[in-house]
Amino acid sequence: MKSSQGTEDKTTTLTFDSNDWISMLTFNGSVFMPSVLTLIGIPGLESVQCWIGIPFCFMYLIAVIGNSLILLIIKYETSLHKPMYIFLAMLGATDLALSTCILPKMLGIFWFHFSKISFEACLLQMWLIHSFQGIESGVLLAMALDRYVAICHPLRHAIVFSQQLLTHIGVGVMLRAAILIAPCIVLIKCRLKLFRTTVISHSYCEHLAIVKLASEDIRINKIYGLFVAFSILGFDIIFITLSYVQIFITVFQLPQKEARFKAFNTCVTHICVFLQFYVLAFFSFFTHRFGFHIPPYVHILLSNLYLLVPPFLNPIVYGVKTKQIRDHVLKIILFKKHFHQ
């Protein structure tokens, strides 16, 4: 009798614990594989998001117009069908795609409160954003290597950067990013089943922001996210730095002052673009993971600027600093003025 009663008590306790656990999940609002998620925009700044959307929209318009103009100039001007400008066209196309993946939905949240997004669409946006980030980093590395060969081994440049190599580089940077980011989606879909909330405290679907919604162990997802970040951005920044160290050594060894100035001037534009991309990238990356005392809206604003500033600034920087691009832009403007007169 005693034994039976003890067993019954244990069963009752077990049942109570189980029911208590289930009720706790219900209380916490946990959802099994949600079909719809909610993006809140910039947490803490919801009341002024409509105003924040105005400069963001302006940046997007400049990014679309500027990058489209550069793509058209490079496509139709045969004298610009050289590795340096082909890489610039790749960068422009990537910037267009990256900003278009983010801004329309973000402005929908800020201005029209279109905050709902399906789980699959959110994962697709995440994959596209991080893939285009990886492609942009790969193109910047290719541009640095192009400058390295052009300055350090000028006689071999035409042989090394053949049309075939340019195609391989283009395909390679796209495949590298797409393949490395794809397991992030698989790990979320296969490992994470229970979500404590369906509200994402972000203005777009970012990997870590989605992963943090889960009630389960997310260490593997975090580790793989770090691996991807360092294997793409970390790898690229190391080789870009090494390329420019070698470039500067070669430039300062040139005997003539004019030659040194000309060689250095061709690199200034690229250096500006590299710095704005990687400084924002690493600042956003480290504050998002280790800046626990920084307000959430600072994290989100930095993440947004990291993705929006390069597409906005790149065409301006290249338009101002690259003579061939600048001349063709001026020709288009003058032609339009003459046509209207």
Side-chain angles (χ1 to χ4, degrees), residues 31-46:
V31 181
F32 182 80
M33 292 297 289
S35 58
V36 177
L37 298 172
T38 304
L39 289 158
I40 65 169
I42 304 172
L45 298 178
E46 290 89 347

Side-chain angles (χ1 to χ4, degrees), residues 65 69 73 319 325-341:
I65 294 165
L69 196 59
I73 288 168
I325 299 289
R326 188 172 65 244
D327 289 348
H328 283 91
V329 171
L330 289 171
K331 273 183 191 176
I332 292 168
I333 294 167
L334 292 171
F335 175 77
K336 281 184 177 178
K337 279 186 179 179
H338 179 71
F339 180 76
H340 286 302
Q341 286 172 358

Side-chain angles (χ1 to χ4, degrees), residues 282-311:
F282 281 102
F283 196 67
S284 171
F285 178 81
F286 285 114
T287 54
H288 199 59
R289 280 158 180 81
F290 307 112
F292 302 112
H293 302 296
I294 297 173
Y297 65 85
V298 175
H299 292 301
I300 309 307
L301 279 173
L302 281 172
S303 297
N304 291 340
L305 290 173
Y306 159 50
L307 295 178
L308 300 179
V309 168

Side-chain angles (χ1 to χ4, degrees), residues 106-158:
M106 192 185 291
L107 294 177
I109 297 164
F110 290 175
W111 289 345
F112 309 109
H113 306 291
F114 294 156
S115 56
K116 302 291 181 185
I117 185 168
S118 73
F119 191 74
E120 284 72 24
C122 193
L123 290 181
L124 177 62
Q125 189 194 44
M126 181 200 82
W127 180 72
L128 287 171
I129 289 170
H130 292 311
S131 293
F132 287 128
Q133 283 176 301
I135 291 167
E136 179 145 354
S137 182
V139 172
L140 291 176
L141 172 60
M143 292 172 89
L145 295 175
D146 171 62
R147 290 299 85 205
Y148 164 73
V149 177
I151 291 169
C152 300
H153 306 284
L155 299 176
R156 296 179 59 192
H157 184 264

Side-chain angles (χ1 to χ4, degrees), residues 3-185:
S3 173
S4 172
Q5 192 178 352
T7 310
E8 193 179 334
D9 289 343
K10 279 180 185 175
T11 310
T12 308
T13 308
L14 211 82
T15 309
F16 173 77
D17 290 341
S18 177
N19 289 336
D20 189 45
W21 182 70
I22 291 164
S23 64
M24 185 178 72
L25 289 180
T26 309
F27 176 78
N28 287 340
S30 294
V31 181
F32 182 80
M33 292 297 289
S35 58
V36 177
L37 298 172
T38 304
L39 289 158
I40 65 169
I42 304 172
L45 298 178
E46 290 89 347
S47 59
V48 293
Q49 282 183 165
C50 58
W51 300 108
I52 294 170
I54 295 170
F56 280 13
C57 182
F58 173 75
M59 288 165 72
Y60 177 59
L61 290 174
I62 295 296
V64 170
I65 294 165
N67 286 299
S68 300
L69 196 59
I70 284 174
L71 283 169
L72 287 169
I73 288 168
I74 292 169
K75 182 181 178 181
Y76 292 108
E77 185 54 53
T78 51
S79 64
L80 299 180
H81 292 179
K82 298 172 183 176
M84 174 180 163
Y85 301 106
I86 290 169
F87 288 137
L88 179 54
M90 288 182 193
L91 189 68
T94 306
D95 281 339
L96 268 175
L98 179 60
S99 52
T100 303
C101 282
I102 303 163
L103 251 296
K105 179 62 183 174
M106 192 185 291
L107 294 177
I109 297 164
F110 290 175
W111 289 345
F112 309 109
H113 306 291
F114 294 156
S115 56
K116 302 291 181 185
I117 185 168
S118 73
F119 191 74
E120 284 72 24
C122 193
L123 290 181
L124 177 62
Q125 189 194 44
M126 181 200 82
W127 180 72
L128 287 171
I129 289 170
H130 292 311
S131 293
F132 287 128
Q133 283 176 301
I135 291 167
E136 179 145 354
S137 182
V139 172
L140 291 176
L141 172 60
M143 292 172 89
L145 295 175
D146 171 62
R147 290 299 85 205
Y148 164 73
V149 177
I151 291 169
C152 300
H153 306 284
L155 299 176
R156 296 179 59 192
H157 184 264
I159 301 165
V160 172
F161 280 91
S162 62
Q163 191 63 46
Q164 189 180 16
L165 180 67
L166 294 177
T167 306
H168 289 161
I169 288 171
V171 173
V173 296
M174 284 193 288
L175 287 178
R176 181 189 68 160
I179 291 168
L180 279 172
I181 302 298
C184 292
I185 296 176

